[in-house]
Amino acid sequence: ANRLFMRVQRALCVPLIRLPFRYAVHGQAPPDHGPLLVAANHESYLDPIVLQLAFRQRLHYLMTSEFYFKPL
């Protein structure tokens, strides 16, 4: 079920992200399996979606608690 969700998500999101934002991956391809640490500098709330589209494996995110308790 998880792989099916990721395939559907990728099929829907890739065209929506690539067209308006000219999304492209440059450089060495990330490995398809095994451990990997990705450090991203976020500039918008779309960054986790775009970052996930760059990798075939599922990513797990870690963030600070201030993200949830920041006043709007």
Side-chain angles (χ1 to χ4, degrees):
N2 233 357
R3 289 185 186 188
L4 177 62
F5 174 73
M6 285 186 63
R7 287 182 182 171
V8 170
Q9 176 188 11
R10 186 175 304 274
L12 294 175
C13 289
V14 167
L16 294 174
I17 296 294
R18 281 197 179 162
L19 290 175
F21 299 109
R22 296 181 187 169
Y23 160 78
V25 177
H26 299 279
Q28 185 178 0
D32 288 337
H33 61 280
L36 180 67
L37 178 64
V38 179
N41 183 15
H42 296 289
E43 295 189 17
S44 77
Y45 288 109
L46 291 176
D47 288 346
I49 298 168
V50 174
L51 192 62
Q52 179 63 62
L53 294 176
F55 294 90
R56 289 189 177 149
Q57 72 247 42
R58 183 175 180 209
L59 299 179
H60 299 274
Y61 297 95
L62 177 70
M63 63 185 77
T64 72
S65 62
E66 285 100 17
F67 180 80
Y68 290 105
F69 300 112
K70 186 189 295 188
L72 297 176

